Amino acid sequence: MLQQGLMMPAGLAVIEQAKQNGAWHFLDDVERLELPEDLLQAFELYPDSQRLFERFPPSSRRGILEWIKTANPHFSQRCVHIRCRVYFGSFY
């Protein structure tokens, strides 16, 4: 958009603000499909859950990881365990 002259000053300002407050790179680890520590711990509690998680297509894994990362911090641990039970509970 920049090269085509389609980016407006307001759009550039939002990009700069996101770079300054960390929002620009907030989901970089999710895009790389890096597993957070709390999810790895939950996988240990539910046999085969990591193997089953890895069978999902990358887009589904990304969605799950984003859901976990953007969850309210007070509930994120609970969210991880709920996801493990919902997705993998029927396999036990």
Side-chain angles (χ1 to χ4, degrees):
M1 289 181 71
L2 286 172
Q3 294 171 349
Q4 297 169 337
L6 300 174
M7 182 65 73
M8 302 298 289
L12 287 171
V14 170
I15 290 171
E16 282 306 311
Q17 181 181 16
K19 287 180 178 180
Q20 290 175 8
N21 69 20
W24 190 256
H25 296 288
F26 181 70
L27 293 175
D28 286 355
D29 54 342
V30 170
E31 292 293 337
R32 292 187 300 269
L33 298 177
E34 294 176 4
L35 303 180
E37 188 61 36
D38 52 354
L39 181 59
L40 292 171
Q41 291 171 1
F43 283 155
E44 291 177 13
L45 298 175
Y46 303 96
D48 286 332
S49 59
Q50 185 168 1
R51 180 183 62 79
L52 295 169
F53 173 81
E54 291 171 358
R55 290 177 63 190
F56 283 118
S59 60
S60 295
R61 285 183 276 150
R62 188 206 173 284
I64 294 167
L65 293 172
E66 181 176 348
W67 182 81
I68 290 168
K69 182 154 189 175
T70 59
N72 181 320
H74 299 289
F75 302 109
S76 64
Q77 185 72 22
R78 184 170 175 235
C79 292
V80 167
H81 289 277
I82 290 169
R83 279 286 175 161
C84 281
R85 273 186 258 138
V86 167
Y87 282 117
F88 313 118
S90 62
F91 293 102
Y92 301 128

